[in-house]
Amino acid sequence: MSRPLLYLDVDGPLNPYAAKPQRRPAGYLTIRVPVERESLSSRRRPLRVWLNPDHGPALLGLGYELCWATTWMDEANRWIGPRLGLPVLPFVDFGEVLFRERPDGVHWKTGPLVDHAGGRPFAWVDDEQSGLDGTYVARHHRGPGLLHHVDPRVGLREDDFRVLGEFARSGRS
């Protein structure tokens, strides 16, 4: 049986963007990603991203097939993966649904992730899931699914890796 999928959001789980801006969390490094900002002066301001290099090996050791599930899409392979020691990963192309609110309150990522999984067991780490997303997955996904919320003030922690590892082992049995 193939390994379960692990859908990775960047901002929140890997980049604890909601932490106090002047206090980089212990174990994290800072990278600056150039971003064109809309402003009257049209000047460029880099985006501050905090990443923990220990997360890459920990994610690779969980027993999943990793896949980006982030608004960064393929840019995560350029800016995030190399800093974590991750290989180039596939990504979910959210295309036209990117940021498009649904009338039923389900997160705009949820449907595309269920479609992408195609019935394979999957875990999804994100900071924007709700009970509506869990209900949607339970009704529309043929295999096991774990929606794992990560606090965007702290990012992935030891307990998160434990939960994800347990699900990966149960998803293969």
Side-chain angles (χ1 to χ4, degrees):
M1 181 177 228
S2 63
R3 296 180 299 165
L5 292 162
L6 177 56
Y7 291 119
L8 294 168
D9 183 30
V10 170
D11 296 315
L14 297 174
N15 170 29
Y17 69 89
K20 293 184 180 187
Q22 66 277 22
R23 297 189 65 184
R24 179 177 65 203
Y28 283 75
L29 57 87
T30 302
I31 66 167
R32 302 281 178 189
V33 178
V35 176
E36 184 69 30
R37 297 278 186 175
E38 295 287 329
S39 70
L40 295 175
S41 66
S42 296
R43 61 187 192 142
R44 297 173 69 92
R45 290 181 169 218
L47 175 66
R48 183 228 354 123
V49 177
W50 286 328
L51 298 172
N52 185 331
D54 293 338
H55 285 168
L59 290 165
L60 290 169
L62 288 173
Y64 287 92
E65 180 180 320
L66 305 178
C67 184
W68 297 118
T70 174
T71 58
W72 290 73
M73 291 191 270
D74 193 36
E75 286 295 302
N77 283 315
R78 177 177 178 196
W79 296 104
I80 307 303
R83 272 70 174 197
L84 299 178
L86 295 175
V88 172
L89 301 177
F91 66 96
V92 177
D93 185 347
F94 293 108
E96 293 180 14
V97 302
L98 190 66
F99 298 121
R100 186 168 292 159
E101 286 190 39
R102 293 173 49 128
D104 59 3
V106 171
H107 195 280
W108 56 266
K109 288 182 185 177
T110 307
L113 293 179
V114 167
D115 292 344
H116 187 272
R120 283 179 65 185
F122 76 86
W124 170 28
V125 292
D126 207 307
D127 63 309
E128 296 183 346
Q129 304 149 331
S130 74
L132 294 171
D133 301 299
T135 300
Y136 182 94
V137 170
R139 288 185 181 153
H140 295 92
H141 183 61
R142 296 183 313 273
L146 170 68
L147 279 62
H148 188 74
H149 182 268
V150 175
D151 185 336
R153 295 171 297 176
V154 298
L156 285 167
R157 308 283 269 221
E158 188 174 319
D159 281 349
D160 300 309
F161 286 101
R162 182 187 50 73
V163 169
L164 292 168
E166 289 171 2
F167 182 80
R169 288 185 294 279
S170 71
R172 285 192 302 257
S173 57

